[in-house]
Amino acid sequence: GAALVAARRGGHITFHGPGQLLAFPVLDLRRRRLPLRAYVAGLEALVLRLCRRLGLRAARALPPPFTGVWMGDSKLCAIGVHCRNHITSHGLALNCCTDLSWFDHIVPCGLEGKGVTSLSHELGQHVAVSHVLEPFLNSFQEVFDCTLVSSEDPG
């Protein structure tokens, strides 16, 4: 019941669907003087900062090959980045109120024996993407020391 699409990014198979906050930043890492691994660590740091804001103190990042943000043995946020000529594409998928049963059909991120979780599951209440978008963007600005400008902003 889902389409399978090949993507040029790090990591193995994952699921993208409703209830996920998908962020695909396009950055010139050379301009930011940021190595690729430091960029991935920055993505993890911004999700960890968001988790702290929401009260999930147990969220953590693990060393490769366990890229992303974890709650125990369950992945909360998957990260898969592609970089060409120092320009990033793809990014992260944070499970907010995702139907986790989709992950039963795959081995998420190619990691046998690991689970998948969501903010809603961990916090015991419905957490919509719209609820976390502003604190996510604030965390992005703080971690990457930048100012985000909406395409809807005049000028």
Side-chain angles (χ1 to χ4, degrees):
L4 180 63
V5 179
R8 298 176 87 184
R9 57 150 181 79
H12 293 277
I13 192 166
T14 192
F15 168 78
H16 294 312
Q20 285 183 327
L21 186 155
L22 298 177
F24 295 167
V26 178
L27 298 175
D28 184 339
L29 297 183
R30 189 175 17 200
R31 283 180 98 186
R32 301 194 65 77
R33 295 187 170 116
L34 195 59
L36 182 57
R37 183 64 197 129
Y39 170 62
V40 171
L43 292 176
E44 290 170 332
L46 88 88
V47 174
L48 289 171
R49 188 175 290 232
L50 171 64
C51 287
R52 304 291 182 271
R53 284 184 161 137
L54 298 174
L56 287 179
R57 306 251 179 257
R60 60 193 162 92
L62 300 172
F66 303 104
T67 305
V69 175
W70 296 79
M71 293 292 297
D73 279 340
S74 295
K75 189 174 267 195
L76 177 64
C77 178
I79 296 177
V81 174
H82 177 72
C83 189
R84 182 172 182 192
N85 297 325
H86 306 282
I87 307 297
T88 65
S89 60
H90 300 283
L92 63 84
L94 173 63
N95 295 320
C96 297
C97 55
T98 313
D99 176 357
L100 299 176
S101 68
W102 283 102
F103 292 98
D104 294 340
H105 304 284
I106 62 174
V107 177
C109 303
L111 300 172
E112 293 279 351
K114 302 294 182 187
V116 178
T117 191
S118 68
L119 292 172
S120 293
H121 178 78
E122 296 299 327
L123 293 168
Q125 63 185 15
H126 181 78
V127 180
V129 173
S130 60
H131 176 76
V132 299
L133 186 56
E134 185 174 339
F136 176 87
L137 294 173
N138 291 336
S139 296
F140 187 96
Q141 292 178 113
E142 292 164 6
V143 168
F144 289 103
D145 191 28
C146 65
T147 301
L148 299 176
V149 179
S150 171
S151 62
E152 298 169 4
D153 289 345

